C-alpha cells in the first residue's frame, strides 16, 4: 500500500488512478469519519476523465495520528506536501464536510495549486452548528464506543429518503463505520474541529471556479449558508433534492454528472447563483 511520510514523520495512506504530470487530477477529501473507501465508486467513474487521488488525512482510516495535535493548518499542509510528493502542479479538489473545509483552506492559502473547487455539505455560517454536533458525538464516543456514536450520527449525516431506502442495511453501515475508524483518532479529530477558525477569515482569497453543493434535507448545513458560501467564493450553488449531508453516497449518479459537467466547462470563470 502506498504511504507518504510527512516532514513530521506522520504516514499518510493514499491511492491514485491514472495521474499524469500534464493533467490536473481530481482529489477527493474525506469527511471526518470517512476513509478512501467512501470514494471508491466515484474514483472509478472519474478516472475515465481525470487522474484521481484519494487519501486518508492524518487520524483517518489507514493513516497515522502523528505526534502533533491535529489541526486545520496541519491538514492543509499535509495535502500540499502530498501533492508536491506526487509532482501534482494543479488539482481539482472535491471535498465533503470536513474535507470541503480543508479544500477551501488550501485554495485560499495555495491558490496556484487549485484549478477548480467542489465543496459539498458546507456553509459559510454553519461552523457553530457543526461544532455543537461534533461535541455531542465526542461526548458519546468518550462514554461509549464508535458503534454507539455511529448510530447517533445516522439521522444527521444521511437524508430521510436514503435512510428509508436503506433501513434493512443500517446495521451494516454502522459496522463499516466502526471497522474503518479508530476511537483515539476520532477523538483527536473531533477535538481539533472545535478549534477550527471560521471560513470567513479566508473566503476572500478564493480565486478559482467554485461549485458548492448542498442537500435539501441536510440538518447540519442549511441551503442559505451554502448559498452564501458560494456567493462569497463568486461560485455556483446547486441544491440536490431529497438529499442529506452525505451527498456522494446518497445520489452518486447525480453527484458525478453535475461535477463532471462543472469540471469540463470550457470557460475559466465561475458564475454566481
Amino acid at each position: 500500500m502506498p504511504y507518504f511520510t510527512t516532514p513530521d514523520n506522520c504516514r499518510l495512506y493514499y491511492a491514485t488512478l491514472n495521474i499524469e504530470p500534464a493533467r490536473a487530477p481530481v482529489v477527493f477529501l474525506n469527511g471526518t469519519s470517512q476513509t478512501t473507501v467512501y470514494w471508491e465508486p466515484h474514483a472509478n467513474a472519474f478516472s475515465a476523465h481525470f487522474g484521481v487521488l484519494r487519501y486518508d488525512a492524518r487520524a483517518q482510516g489507514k493513516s497515522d495520528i502523528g505526534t502533533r495535535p491535529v489541526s486545520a493548518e496541519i491538514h492543509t499542509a499535509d495535502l500540499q506536501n502530498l501533492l508536491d510528493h506526487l509532482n501534482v502542479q494543479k488539482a481539482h479538489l472535491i471535498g465533503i464536510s470536513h474535507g470541503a473545509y480543508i479544500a477551501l483552506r488550501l485554495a485560499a492559502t495555495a491558490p496556484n495549486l487549485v484549478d477548480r473547487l467542489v465543496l459539498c455539505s458546507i456553509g459559510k455560517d454553519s461552523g457553530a452548528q457543526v461544532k455543537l454536533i461534533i461535541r455531542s458525538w465526542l461526548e458519546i464516543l468518550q462514554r461509549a464506543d464508535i458503534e454507539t456514536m455511529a448510530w447517533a450520527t445516522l439521522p444527521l449525516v444521511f437524508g430521510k429518503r436514503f435512510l428509508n431506502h436503506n433501513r434493512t442495511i443500517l446495521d451494516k453501515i454502522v459496522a463499516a463505520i466502526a471497522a474503518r475508524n479508530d476511537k483515539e483518532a476520532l477523538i483527536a479529530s473531533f477535538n481539533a474541529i472545535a478549534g477550527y477558525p471560521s471560513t470567513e477569515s479566508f473566503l476572500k482569497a478564493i480565486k478559482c471556479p467554485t461549485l458548492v453543493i448542498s442537500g435539501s434535507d441536510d440538518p447540519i448545513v442549511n441551503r442559505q449558508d451554502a448559498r452564501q458560501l458560494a456567493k462569497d467564493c463568486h461560485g455556483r450553488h446547486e441544491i440536490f433534492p431529497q438529499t442529506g449531508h452525505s451527498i456522494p453516497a446518497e445520489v452518486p449518479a447525480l453527484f458525478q454528472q453535475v461535477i463532471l459537467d462543472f469540471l469540463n466547462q470550457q470557460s475559466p470563470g465561475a458564475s454566481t447563483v
Side-chain angles (χ1 to χ4, degrees):
M1 293 187 293
Y3 281 89
F4 163 67
T5 302
T6 66
D8 63 331
N9 293 317
C10 182
R11 292 195 321 150
L12 303 181
Y13 171 78
Y14 69 92
T16 61
L17 281 172
N18 304 332
I19 287 187
E20 301 172 3
R23 184 176 62 164
V26 162
V27 181
F28 290 112
L29 288 84
N30 306 338
T32 307
S33 62
Q34 295 167 352
T35 71
T36 55
V37 175
Y38 182 84
W39 298 108
E40 277 185 0
H42 302 296
N44 294 330
F46 279 80
S47 66
H49 309 271
F50 300 92
V52 173
L53 167 62
R54 293 175 292 145
Y55 79 105
D56 289 334
R58 66 173 70 202
Q60 285 185 340
K62 298 175 184 177
S63 293
D64 296 342
I65 300 177
T67 57
R68 300 164 62 194
V70 179
S71 68
E73 292 80 8
I74 287 176
H75 280 313
T76 306
D78 283 347
L79 177 54
Q80 190 167 353
N81 287 329
L82 176 58
L83 293 175
D84 183 62
H85 169 72
L86 295 173
N87 196 30
V88 172
Q89 306 300 316
K90 219 171 189 54
H92 306 298
L93 304 185
I94 303 175
I96 178 170
S97 196
H98 178 268
Y101 180 90
I102 301 304
L104 196 57
R105 281 188 64 94
L106 183 66
T109 57
N112 58 303
L113 285 177
V114 182
D115 193 328
R116 294 192 179 222
L117 189 60
V118 179
L119 308 171
C120 298
S121 306
I122 186 173
K124 178 183 177 182
D125 299 318
S126 55
Q129 172 80 353
V130 169
K131 288 180 180 181
L132 181 58
I133 290 170
I134 291 292
R135 172 64 186 272
S136 71
W137 295 347
L138 176 61
E139 294 292 335
I140 293 170
L141 189 57
Q142 289 174 330
R143 289 163 172 75
D145 53 24
I146 296 177
E147 191 165 292
T148 304
M149 183 214 71
W151 277 109
T153 70
L154 290 186
L156 293 174
V157 298
F158 294 110
K160 187 184 299 183
R161 181 177 64 175
F162 179 89
L163 291 172
N164 286 337
H165 287 176
N166 294 279
R167 58 184 178 275
T168 61
I169 62 166
L170 294 182
D171 55 338
K172 293 181 180 179
I173 294 174
V174 166
I177 294 171
R180 294 171 189 161
N181 284 279
D182 174 82
K183 183 173 181 177
E184 180 187 358
L186 272 179
I187 289 173
S189 294
F190 289 164
N191 279 322
I193 292 170
Y196 282 9
S198 165
T199 57
E200 181 73 31
S201 60
F202 48 82
L203 283 183
K204 292 181 180 178
I206 303 301
K207 305 299 182 185
C208 61
T210 301
L211 171 64
V212 177
I213 303 175
S214 59
S216 64
D217 299 341
D218 185 346
I220 300 177
V221 177
N222 66 57
R223 66 182 68 187
Q224 290 80 11
D225 284 347
R227 184 180 296 116
Q228 188 61 51
L229 176 65
K231 183 178 180 180
D232 288 353
C233 292
H234 306 288
R236 195 174 93 222
H237 178 222
E238 292 274 355
I239 301 174
F240 287 2
Q242 294 184 281
T243 306
H245 193 71
S246 194
I247 293 167
E250 296 183 48
V251 283
L254 179 60
F255 171 81
Q256 292 170 14
Q257 175 191 335
V258 168
I259 293 178
L260 284 171
D261 287 347
F262 171 69
L263 295 181
N264 286 316
Q265 286 174 359
Q266 294 301 311
S267 171
S271 61
T272 302
V273 173

